[in-house]
Amino acid sequence: MPYEENIALAELRRRLREQRALQGVTVSQLAVRAKLGRTTVHKALRADGLLPSEDTIVALAKALRLSAVELLELRQRAAVFLIHTAAVDGEAGAPPVRAGKTQSPSPGSGTADGAPCTPAPSPEGVSASAPDGDPGKPIASWDPHDLEVHPAGITGGTVSLPGAQRVLSDYVSRAHDRVLADAVTEVQEGRSRMLVLVGSSSTGKTRACWEAVQPLAVRGWRLWHPYDPTRAEAALADLERVGPRTVVWLNEAQHYLDGPPAGERIAAGLHALLTQPARGPVLILGTLWPEYARRYIALPRSGAPDPHSRVRELLAGRTVGVPDTFDREAIRAATALAHEGDRLLTDALTRAGEHGRLAQDLAGAPELLRRYQHGTPAGRALLEAAMDARRFGVGLHLPQDFLTAAATDYLTDHDWEQLPEDWAEVSYTDLADPVHGKQAPLGRVNPRPYGPSAGPAGELFRLADYLEHHGRITRQRVYPPTSFWRAALAHLPHPETLLRLARGAEGRVRMRWAHRLRLRAAELGHVGALTELADMRRWWADDEEGAAVFYRRAADAGDTNALMRLASMQKWAGDLENAEATLREAAEASGTGALAIPLQLREQFGDWQGLEAFYHHALEAGNLEALAHLAHLRQWAGDQEGAEALCWRSVEAGNIDALAHLAELRQRAGDWDGAVELARQAAAAGRPGALRELAALCERTGDEEGAEALLREAADAGHTEAMMKLALLHRAAYDLEGAEEFARRAAAAGNARGLAYLAWSREDAGDERGAEALAMRAHRAGHHEVLARLAHARELAGDRSGAEAIARQAAAAGELDPLNHLALGREQASDRESAEAFAREAVAAGDGGETLCGVAVFRRRHSEEEAMALFREAARAGSHYALAHLAKQLEEAGDTQSACALYVEEANTGFIPRHDRKRRWPYGLEPDGSPTPRWG
């Protein structure tokens, strides 16, 4: 039979040979990378070689950064072709199979590396079509650049020409990669995991996530990147449909987690995905800049709103720091790869080998910064307008008309007069040109031609990530000029965007512009803007009559919250009759869905009877949550029997928490055995905390033996806090061995306190390395104080170098408290040089000058002049507290003009206390910082 072309095998070899050529590696170097014999690699690449085995294909794919799944599929088709050809020919002893043309294989013939020539099964879980209802697609189908992995260069010509390809350098593994690898191992074993990498822009976070999921690609996992129409909307729409063996890709997770209520809803949905065994295993990967991570995990001040409570719970124990620089070990590994032929790493090391900012260099960060700092005045104006737009909350895709109009006041009069007529067109063309074939400073984007993401008419642009991050840091004390706000009103069509800008303006005391932006958002149909306008009228303008009008308009548009605010305003004004009527109206308007609203009727007006009637009405309408509320009401009324009956109905409706409530009721009635049995039932149903709560009741009544027995049951049911309580009880009884055993069990289940306890045990035993390793694990699990305490313990023990090492290790992981404590401790010990050095390290790690400010406060005891110099340095580093302190000093010295300028700078940061805003500027500020005259 004549030879026929094996197209799949030819394509397989073409991809391998082409990628080897693109990366400029020799066969020997490729063999080293792939951990294969040189002969095996040579035969796999030869045009007339035998079919490579599956193991060889996987190893070569990993070494060349190709899709293993795609190559395995090609190999399968090639093998099927060979078997089909053999069946048609029926010739025993035919010539061996070659790459371009083939006859049937002879008996006993095999692959290039000796494996039998049989069809390769498709990778586990991969199918041509997606499972019904599961979002995402196979990992192998994704281009890493579509997942926002920064390219390290291009091949095949310039980036604008056909055939150009974005490529990645070889990958250098670092400490955070080991944490990611552990998570990938766990999900392959069937346990769902979530990790969020926290680091500055262009430090390698997204690339690390991409490399981490490659073992899952070979096993057929899917990847879902919620993106359109907006990231938050896409996540909310499809999160409930995510199925097992899926990677949820949340690059720049602030786009999903910021801005309640969407962020809180997404956090709750992610938590549900992680904790529902039937939907797992899944792997949730995200990235965050440090400033967002700090905002989300920070506890609110007493009495202040808590907009990120669900996000904070979700992130606890699930963040991993990514350092800005490569350490010596990573630089050595990168150098070895460069010597093996990676030209991209070779080039980057010539510039970044000393300071270690290798990831930034590969992403083009230095050149991006140069293009911004040394560009034309028009180019700088457009970039600064884009920076301000992003930091104030405008979306990723910025309309050209908006940027052009916004940029005008960023130019000086002289620069404006020198502009040619086509200045905008020339500037956009220049800024859209990528640096080294990587990111453009301000690149054009092509939105989908449908849905909300299509946005306004005209071209859209996206600011490079690195420049966005640079702008957030360097422009923190700069307020956008008037042209920016006029452009926003004229050219930004999305009311949610306008509302974010309004909140940013109000936080910086630009009240008139905040009012205008909210009015425009309300005109575009945003009901929440009406409520916020009412709040402004009430709190800033002291116009309760005007506030009531806006509250009513919002309520008429369906915002029940507006009625609750109106009731609160009426109550504070002493109009209790109308306040009660408004609150009842809110309860009725909420239907039976918002059961928390009528609680205010009872709390504010003592209407228990009306509250119970409302819950009965909700229950009749099918809202089973009302059962739990009614049970509590019956308990408060002393109706034990009625409360229990309602609890049992709630249990039958599937509310496990009602079992715990029943246990409490039985215990209060003196039925201890019944209470324990109910708590056990709750634990068996997935709520072991019921046993822990019952143990606490035992402890309060002095039954320590009974409490420990219940804690052991709770611990056996998997309740890690019960394990830690047992550890503390045993330690108090001087049973250190028993205490450590319970802590070890808690740590194995992921409890951060258990890990911290073990760290202290290792420290006490003199195992410093073991203590540090466990402390780092505890930190990653959410115990943020452990590193600072360990460093402090080393410092007290006289081990200064040990304390410093832990503080720096913690800073690399994104935890700055140890550096702060170390600096302040050294200052109090009169080691001023060391204190300043560590405070500056904290600045470099991103603390915004707060540690320097703390050192300055203590320095005043020694030298007012030195303290003021430190305050000025802290202010330059971004400390709003230092700005306020300097302003106050100038004001007390009689330099009112300079003090006012600093107070305006403090306002520009958005951190000025609310009570200071109206006191200093009764009607707000203009964009240029001058006081606003009376308005509205």
Side-chain angles (χ1 to χ4, degrees):
M1 179 177 179
Y3 287 98
E4 296 177 4
E5 185 175 6
N6 190 333
I7 297 173
L9 187 55
E11 173 64 12
L12 174 63
R13 298 204 194 283
R14 184 194 68 76
R15 292 193 189 186
L16 291 171
R17 289 198 301 269
E18 183 178 277
Q19 190 68 6
R20 183 180 73 84
L22 289 174
Q23 295 192 18
V25 296
T26 66
V27 172
S28 298
Q29 290 168 339
L30 180 56
V32 172
R33 280 194 199 178
K35 299 179 182 178
L36 296 170
R38 187 184 183 284
T39 302
T40 299
V41 174
H42 178 69
K43 289 181 178 179
L45 298 174
R46 277 176 54 184
D48 59 348
L50 298 176
L51 184 66
S53 72
E54 294 174 46
D55 290 342
T56 297
I57 291 297
V58 172
L60 289 173
K62 183 176 181 181
L64 293 171
R65 297 185 300 283
L66 289 168
S67 167
V69 172
E70 291 181 8
L71 295 187
L72 286 169
E73 287 177 349
L74 284 171
R75 184 192 180 280
Q76 179 186 15
R77 285 158 47 195
V80 169
F81 179 88
L82 298 180
I83 291 175
H84 173 73
T85 305
V88 171
D89 288 351
E91 298 178 5
V97 177
R98 301 299 174 188
K101 305 286 184 179
T102 183
Q103 285 184 313
S104 59
S106 60
S109 68
T111 63
D113 39 358
C117 184
T118 57
S122 61
E124 181 185 359
V126 173
S127 60
S129 61
D132 290 341
D134 286 1
K137 59 184 180 181
I139 295 173
S141 302
W142 284 97
D143 182 325
H145 308 298
D146 292 338
L147 296 172
E148 300 164 323
V149 178
H150 294 159
I154 62 165
T155 61
T158 65
V159 73
S160 59
L161 294 178
Q165 295 184 22
R166 297 171 294 181
V167 296
L168 300 173
S169 67
D170 271 324
Y171 191 67
V172 179
S173 180
R174 293 185 279 168
H176 55 273
D177 293 289
R178 292 189 282 277
V179 181
L180 282 167
D182 290 342
V184 169
T185 299
E186 288 190 37
V187 299
Q188 291 181 80
E189 294 171 351
R191 298 188 295 276
S192 293
R193 285 295 308 275
M194 175 179 179
L195 284 176
V196 177
L197 270 59
V198 178
S200 302
S201 174
S202 303
T203 51
K205 304 183 296 297
T206 314
R207 175 71 187 279
C209 292
W210 173 250
E211 294 294 331
V213 301
Q214 294 315 297
L216 302 178
V218 180
R219 288 162 177 78
W221 277 54
R222 303 172 62 74
L223 187 147
W224 176 49
H225 179 29
Y227 192 82
D228 186 68
T230 68
R231 300 186 191 218
E233 288 176 280
L236 287 170
D238 286 336
L239 188 54
E240 290 185 357
R241 295 172 46 233
V242 173
R245 300 164 57 78
T246 299
V247 175
V248 179
W249 190 267
L250 304 179
N251 192 47
E252 295 193 42
Q254 69 271 15
H255 297 306
Y256 303 95
L257 303 178
D258 210 29
E264 292 290 271
R265 289 177 59 197
I266 291 171
L270 292 170
H271 182 267
L273 178 61
L274 288 167
T275 55
Q276 294 173 5
R279 300 177 66 188
V282 296
L283 176 62
I284 303 172
L285 293 179
T287 66
L288 274 176
W289 289 348
E291 53 265 40
Y292 286 111
R294 286 195 290 270
R295 182 198 305 174
Y296 296 151
I297 66 176
L299 291 170
R301 295 187 301 274
S302 177
D306 189 4
H308 303 299
S309 61
R310 298 303 300 268
V311 176
R312 183 168 59 254
E313 292 168 5
L314 180 72
L315 294 180
R318 296 187 173 110
T319 58
V320 182
V322 177
D324 285 356
T325 58
F326 280 45
D327 59 19
R328 292 180 182 178
E329 182 181 347
I331 290 292
R332 282 196 296 270
T335 303
L337 291 171
H339 289 162
E340 290 177 11
D342 190 309
R343 296 174 183 176
L344 294 168
L345 282 175
T346 301
D347 183 47
L349 283 165
T350 61
R351 296 182 296 272
E354 290 189 10
H355 54 67
R357 300 176 71 83
L358 200 60
Q360 294 89 330
D361 190 277
L362 288 166
E367 181 61 14
L368 284 170
L369 197 57
R370 190 198 67 78
R371 290 270 296 275
Y372 162 59
Q373 293 174 337
H374 301 289
T376 65
R380 280 182 60 95
L382 288 170
L383 289 175
E384 287 176 355
M387 290 175 183
D388 289 343
R390 289 296 297 129
R391 69 190 180 96
F392 272 79
V394 183
L396 285 172
H397 298 168
L398 305 171
Q400 182 176 10
D401 289 347
F402 161 71
L403 288 174
T404 305
T408 56
D409 285 355
Y410 288 81
L411 292 158
T412 65
D413 291 341
H414 172 77
D415 289 335
W416 177 255
E417 291 169 1
Q418 301 299 313
L419 290 179
E421 289 186 6
D422 62 347
W423 71 270
E425 181 182 347
V426 170
S427 297
Y428 284 117
T429 301
D430 175 59
L431 294 173
D433 186 28
V435 298
H436 306 319
K438 300 165 187 173
Q439 296 184 84
L442 193 64
R444 286 184 171 86
V445 294
N446 296 312
R448 298 180 186 274
Y450 56 83
S453 64
E459 287 198 90
L460 300 176
F461 289 81
R462 177 170 177 174
L463 181 67
D465 287 348
Y466 185 80
L467 291 181
E468 179 184 335
H469 190 253
H470 179 75
R472 289 180 186 274
I473 295 172
T474 60
R475 297 183 61 76
Q476 183 185 19
R477 290 156 61 182
V478 178
Y479 192 79
T482 302
S483 62
F484 177 93
W485 303 100
R486 288 177 177 159
L489 283 175
H491 299 290
L492 295 179
H494 296 311
E496 188 62 50
T497 299
L498 292 170
L499 208 52
R500 284 196 293 270
L501 288 171
R503 292 164 185 158
E506 181 177 357
R508 293 160 178 83
V509 208
R510 270 61 177 197
M511 306 308 297
R512 182 158 62 173
W513 280 102
H515 193 264
R516 289 175 178 174
L517 290 160
R518 286 189 170 110
L519 279 174
R520 179 61 180 149
E523 290 170 6
L524 293 171
H526 199 293
V527 178
L530 291 168
T531 304
E532 293 189 19
L533 281 166
D535 290 341
M536 286 192 72
R537 303 304 305 176
R538 177 185 177 188
W539 296 110
W540 194 267
D542 295 323
D543 178 12
E544 293 194 352
E545 185 176 344
V549 171
F550 279 115
Y551 283 137
R552 275 290 165 196
R553 285 179 59 188
D556 292 343
D559 186 359
T560 308
N561 185 50
L563 287 171
M564 300 200 43
R565 291 178 184 236
L566 177 58
S568 174
M569 184 177 75
Q570 291 166 334
K571 181 189 174 188
W572 281 107
D575 186 1
L576 297 182
E577 183 177 350
N578 278 326
E580 183 173 358
T582 302
L583 203 51
R584 289 185 183 280
E585 185 182 348
E588 292 171 4
S590 70
T592 59
L595 296 182
I597 291 176
L599 281 175
Q600 293 200 19
L601 286 168
R602 188 262 304 168
E603 292 173 352
Q604 297 186 23
F605 304 105
D607 186 4
W608 292 78
Q609 188 175 356
L611 181 60
E612 189 162 352
F614 178 87
Y615 285 138
H616 276 295
H617 174 63
L619 186 59
E620 290 168 5
N623 192 324
L624 297 177
E625 291 181 21
L627 286 166
H629 290 277
L630 283 167
H632 282 290
L633 281 179
R634 290 290 85 215
Q635 181 183 352
W636 290 331
D639 181 4
Q640 180 90 2
E641 186 177 343
E644 287 194 22
L646 288 162
C647 279
W648 278 117
R649 287 179 62 186
S650 188
V651 170
E652 291 165 3
N655 183 4
I656 300 172
D657 287 340
L659 282 170
H661 188 190
L662 274 168
E664 179 190 346
L665 290 171
R666 288 285 81 215
Q667 189 272 339
R668 291 180 184 277
D671 180 6
W672 182 251
D673 292 339
V676 171
E677 180 57 33
L678 287 165
R680 285 173 179 154
Q681 289 181 38
R687 197 185 183 284
L691 290 165
R692 172 72 177 85
E693 291 158 14
L694 206 55
L697 287 173
C698 280
E699 220 175 351
R700 285 199 291 271
T701 59
D703 184 4
E704 295 181 2
E705 187 176 336
E708 182 167 352
L710 286 167
L711 285 171
R712 286 181 180 276
E713 285 192 52
D716 291 341
H719 197 281
T720 59
E721 285 303 316
M723 297 174 196
M724 284 309 302
K725 178 63 176 177
L726 285 165
L728 296 176
L729 288 174
H730 279 259
R731 187 178 70 177
Y734 300 101
D735 178 10
L736 300 184
E737 187 176 336
E740 186 160 335
E741 175 57 31
F742 281 112
R744 189 176 292 109
R745 285 176 59 187
N751 185 283
R753 291 176 62 210
L755 289 163
Y757 185 97
L758 292 176
W760 287 113
S761 296
R762 297 280 73 75
E763 180 78 1
D764 291 342
D767 180 6
E768 294 186 353
R769 285 192 176 183
E772 290 173 21
L774 285 163
M776 285 301 298
R777 285 179 60 194
H779 166 71
R780 288 195 294 267
H783 197 297
H784 300 296
E785 302 84 16
V786 63
L787 291 169
R789 289 178 59 192
L790 188 58
H792 183 61
R794 296 271 173 93
E795 184 88 346
L796 289 178
D799 182 8
R800 290 166 61 94
S801 61
E804 293 167 6
I806 292 172
R808 290 184 174 120
Q809 189 179 5
E815 178 58 52
L816 302 183
D817 278 352
L819 277 177
N820 177 282
H821 293 174
L822 202 59
L824 297 182
R826 298 282 170 92
E827 177 67 24
Q828 289 175 288
S830 299
D831 186 354
R832 300 184 183 91
E833 184 178 351
S834 180
E836 291 183 27
F838 284 111
R840 292 185 179 109
E841 281 193 42
V843 169
D847 88 327
E850 296 306 323
T851 301
L852 265 173
C853 198
V855 170
V857 170
F858 286 107
R859 185 65 58 87
R860 294 186 67 184
R861 302 172 183 175
H862 169 73
S863 167
E864 185 69 25
E865 183 179 354
E866 290 181 15
M868 292 303 290
L870 289 171
F871 277 123
R872 285 190 288 271
E873 186 179 351
R876 289 193 297 272
S879 170
H880 56 91
Y881 178 86
L883 277 172
H885 185 86
L886 288 169
K888 184 178 179 182
Q889 293 294 312
L890 290 168
E891 193 173 27
E892 290 175 353
D895 188 352
T896 307
Q897 185 174 356
S898 297
C900 286
L902 286 180
Y903 281 132
V904 169
E905 280 193 49
E906 183 192 9
N908 289 349
T909 68
F911 290 104
I912 187 168
R914 183 182 290 270
H915 63 272
D916 283 344
R917 300 176 192 176
K918 195 170 181 180
R919 178 175 62 83
R920 290 181 185 149
W921 305 288
Y923 307 108
L925 290 168
E926 290 300 291
D928 65 1
S930 60
T932 299
R934 187 183 182 90
W935 57 275

